[in-house]
Amino acid sequence: MKLLSFKDRAERDRVGAIEDEVIRDLTDFLPPDDGVSPMRRLLAGGYDLHALLRDAPRVARGETTIQPPVPDPTKIVAAPVNYRAHQAEMNESTHIAALGVFLKAPSSVLADGGEVRLPYHDRRFDQEGELAVVIGKPTAHVSEDDALEHIFGYTCLLDMTMRGGEDRSVRKSFDTFTPMGPYLVTADEVGDMELWCRVNGALRQHAQLADLIWPVPRLVSYVSSVMRLHPGDVIATGTPAGVGPVFDGDIVQVEISGVGLLSVRVSARDAVRCPTLGRDRGPTPPPHPSLQTIILDSRE
Ligand code: MN
């Protein structure tokens, strides 16, 4: 089943299921709004979704505005260096087994079709296409064997990143730096997964999820040994090789087989000079022909 968060014509936050472009609104089956998104209330309730669907009203696609599948996760956990080819291209001496995980600000989420806003004109920003796991039930210290039972489903995610020496939590937490969606696909619909990431239609990243250094069960188990996970929490599994800079006007797409196609545009409107000094520090990303633009920018 494919679930989505959306706003209706009255700008109310809703959750629904989508099939053949028809949306079924599940929101009215949920307990009253307590400041938590309908999606999180739906996940926390452990409902029989097929039973709810029988009586769910239909909503025309054109009367909705799509939102990030989980608009308000209590946290977004992310895996650094979790593919060997990406480790090599970044000249990293270590990978996830030495680095652990990091946090992205929940306020950085962005919906499918949204606009990634680059904050600075004198820094490099890269796309990182990733598979994201969405947690379905309270999870602490879960074993690898039991981890899959705690996953509700999967979605496409872009871990937008400023390169440099600042802390990852800064470089990856700017508003709009975590596009997600369009849908949250239940785990039962997903098999072996393959990921493609394109910028302006040109393929930059292509990988099998089977190539993860720490596969999903191990990643979820590990994260849950560090911090308690709640329904709707998001875990980004890491990016394959092929990261590269993005610029004003670019279209970035992440596609994962069985999960969907996420598409956003990039804007550098109102970008300012970066106030921090990490530009020439940190892991060294692969060179890219379009970087000339950034070099020129910094001489202004
Ligand atoms: Mn990443």
Side-chain angles (χ1 to χ4, degrees):
M1 190 177 294
K2 290 180 170 59
L3 300 180
L4 78 165
S5 293
F6 63 97
K7 285 186 185 292
D8 65 11
R9 269 188 166 166
E11 290 285 303
R12 296 181 303 171
D13 289 309
R14 314 299 285 177
V15 64
I18 182 165
E19 191 178 37
D20 299 331
E21 295 296 300
V22 177
I23 295 173
R24 310 288 297 276
D25 191 336
L26 301 170
T27 318
D28 288 337
F29 299 112
L30 304 176
D33 186 349
D34 53 1
V36 172
S37 68
M39 180 64 85
R40 274 177 55 204
R41 279 181 278 145
L42 183 74
L43 299 187
Y47 298 93
D48 177 346
L49 296 177
H50 292 283
L52 293 188
L53 269 182
R54 281 199 292 271
D55 301 313
R58 291 164 189 267
V59 186
R61 188 76 195 260
E63 296 178 3
T64 64
T65 309
I66 195 163
Q67 302 294 304
V70 186
D72 57 347
T74 76
K75 49 193 167 297
I76 302 170
V77 186
V81 199
N82 201 15
Y83 289 87
R84 292 188 195 282
H86 177 58
Q87 178 184 0
E89 74 174 350
M90 295 296 291
N91 299 298
E92 286 266 18
S93 57
T94 57
H95 57 62
I96 185 167
L99 296 167
V101 292
F102 63 93
L103 288 165
K104 296 185 68 145
S107 46
S108 65
V109 296
L110 179 73
D112 178 52
E115 186 174 80
V116 171
R117 298 288 300 271
L118 305 184
Y120 309 131
H121 55 68
D122 54 353
R123 294 294 295 262
R124 170 172 168 167
F125 296 92
D126 283 13
Q127 102 290 343
E128 295 192 353
E130 308 194 9
L131 172 76
V133 168
V134 176
I135 295 295
K137 52 178 108 167
T139 303
H141 296 282
V142 70
S143 68
E144 285 183 43
D145 284 348
D146 295 339
L148 291 180
E149 291 170 26
H150 290 248
I151 294 171
F152 181 84
Y154 300 91
T155 192
C156 305
L157 183 146
L158 268 168
D159 177 18
M160 296 302 302
T161 300
M162 178 172 79
R163 293 297 168 206
E166 290 85 355
D167 195 275
R168 277 190 175 88
S169 66
V170 170
R171 294 189 289 107
K172 294 163 173 282
S173 284
F174 296 98
D175 288 356
T176 73
F177 268 37
T178 311
M180 281 199 297
Y183 309 124
L184 171 53
V185 180
T186 50
D188 60 293
E189 287 204 4
V190 174
D192 291 340
M193 286 177 272
E194 191 170 355
L195 178 151
W196 300 264
C197 184
R198 297 179 177 86
V199 176
N200 302 326
L203 186 66
R204 283 199 182 175
Q205 300 182 279
H206 180 207
Q208 313 290 328
L209 271 296
D211 291 339
L212 286 171
I213 296 174
W214 274 14
V216 167
R218 182 161 191 187
L219 181 60
V220 171
S221 173
Y222 169 71
V223 173
S224 81
S225 77
V226 176
M227 60 189 96
R228 185 171 300 277
L229 295 168
H230 304 288
D233 280 357
V234 175
I235 303 176
T237 57
T239 202
V243 300
V246 296
F247 301 97
D248 186 68
D250 283 351
I251 301 291
V252 185
Q253 294 179 310
V254 183
E255 183 174 9
I256 301 174
S257 49
V259 178
L261 172 64
L262 168 71
S263 183
V264 295
R265 62 189 178 279
V266 175
S267 171
R269 193 171 65 250
D270 302 328
V272 300
R273 189 184 183 90
C274 180
T276 56
L277 305 175
R279 185 177 140 148
D280 299 320
R281 300 176 48 237
T284 313
H288 195 277
S290 54
L291 275 176
Q292 190 64 22
T293 311
I294 277 193
I295 294 165
L296 292 174
D297 272 359
S298 68
R299 287 176 182 161
E300 284 171 3

